[in-house]
Structures are given as structure tokens and as C-alpha cells.
Amino acid sequence: MATTQSNPQERTARELLTQRPLFLGVDGEGAAHYWDSYEFAVAAVSADGKAEKVELVETPFETLSQWCEYTRSERGWNIGPHVGGSLVGDLVRAVEA
């Protein structure tokens, strides 16, 4: 029986969020972003383990897409974001950038 090991950033996100987090991507500063749809919150975990939980209700952003666009404008994305699209959509956006 196979088991999957989570990486340290995902383990930290699990501690912050209620549900098993959905991986969104890695921003331009190396922080991994994880989404919890139950809490409507994002956990951003840096490579050195520093973490921040952001509940969208406490921000000017009404949707996860808006959060991702904000992150793109502030930090950029090295990987992702993987939100409501497809791999093909991600590739098209990467080529257009």
C-alpha cells in the first residue's frame, strides 16, 4: 500500500487550516500558497517555515482569483496559480507573460 508524504510547507499549512489544503502555487519569493474553501482562507508558507493565514473576508479580495491576481502583482508566481483553470490555461498565460 502506497503512502504519500507531504512536504514541510504543506504540513505547516495543514496546521493552520481546517481542511486538507489545496496547493495553489509558489509565488516569486518562494512561498507556497494553499487554499481552504471551508475557511475561505489562504495559508502562505515560506521556504524557511514562516507562515501566514489570510482569511479573504479580512481583505479587500472577494474571490480566490482576486487573491491570486494580487499575489501575481505583488510577488509574481513561479509555479501556478492552479485555480479554476487547466494546465493548458496555465501554459497559455505563461506564454503570454
Side-chain angles (χ1 to χ4, degrees), residues 3-53:
T3 60
T4 55
Q5 297 287 327
S6 60
N7 67 44
Q9 288 173 305
E10 183 179 350
R11 284 193 296 273
T12 300
R14 284 184 184 183
E15 293 172 6
L16 293 174
L17 302 169
T18 301
Q19 293 182 329
R20 181 180 177 114
L22 172 69
F23 175 71
L24 296 175
V26 177
D27 68 29
E29 295 178 6
H33 292 243
Y34 296 87
W35 172 246
D36 182 332
S37 61
Y38 179 78
E39 292 187 70
F40 214 66
V42 173
V45 185
S46 67
D48 66 3
K50 293 180 183 173
E52 175 182 17
K53 176 180 168 181

Side-chain angles (χ1 to χ4, degrees), residues 54-74:
V54 179
E55 294 183 26
L56 293 192
V57 71
E58 296 175 2
T59 72
F61 313 110
E62 295 180 15
T63 66
L64 179 56
S65 291
Q66 289 175 337
W67 170 263
C68 290
E69 283 305 312
Y70 164 76
T71 301
R72 181 185 311 280
S73 69
E74 292 295 312

